[in-house]
Amino acid sequence: QVQLAESGGGSVQAGGSLRLTCQVAGYSFRTNYMGWFRQAPGKEREGVAAIDTDSNPYYESSVEGRFTISRDDVNNVLYLQMNSLKPEDTAMYYCAADGWWLLPSYKYWGQGTQVTVSS
């Protein structure tokens, strides 16, 4: 059974940083892409960052240069380091496994962790 558990969300001021963590169980990072998505109230879920089986990262244009996706294959953890946060980054952030690139068609999803950025 695949389980994804996000943590690390919170409230920060604009310009601040947060690191999201996704503990993964029952899934190998070598299977397919892993990704981070977000959904703000009234908006569709969007891909923020993804990492493929060779650890190549992919980013949505608005977060390029500010966010970094990485993974720890030994401990089965996926990370999203978020720097220079902006109020428009406010959303529920989800970890996802077994999908492709930034498309929200991943097979497995976590419960989400809230990120709130104040101006």
Side-chain angles (χ1 to χ4, degrees):
Q1 182 180 1
V2 177
Q3 293 183 321
L4 309 175
E6 304 97 333
S7 61
S11 297
V12 296
Q13 291 191 327
S17 298
L18 285 172
R19 187 177 79 158
L20 304 185
T21 297
C22 177
Q23 183 67 57
V24 181
Y27 179 84
S28 169
F29 288 168
R30 295 182 180 85
T31 300
N32 207 342
Y33 284 62
M34 294 286 299
W36 285 99
F37 291 77
R38 66 186 179 189
Q39 188 167 18
K43 294 188 176 182
E44 293 186 354
R45 188 170 297 188
E46 65 172 354
V48 174
I51 188 166
D52 66 20
T53 56
D54 293 324
S55 293
N56 297 306
Y58 304 88
Y59 299 100
E60 191 269 332
S61 59
S62 71
V63 308
E64 183 92 46
R66 300 189 297 123
F67 290 13
T68 302
I69 188 171
S70 62
R71 72 190 204 201
D72 178 348
D73 289 9
V74 174
N75 296 302
N76 260 28
V77 181
L78 183 72
Y79 299 102
L80 184 68
Q81 177 66 44
M82 306 186 296
N83 299 327
S84 303
L85 283 161
K86 304 176 181 180
E88 51 264 43
D89 294 319
T90 295
M92 184 71 79
Y93 282 71
Y94 298 90
C95 170
D98 198 356
W100 185 72
W101 196 54
L102 298 173
L103 297 179
S105 55
Y106 280 57
K107 185 173 183 178
Y108 304 105
W109 294 85
Q111 294 300 307
T113 185
Q114 179 68 39
V115 172
T116 303
V117 185
S118 58
S119 57

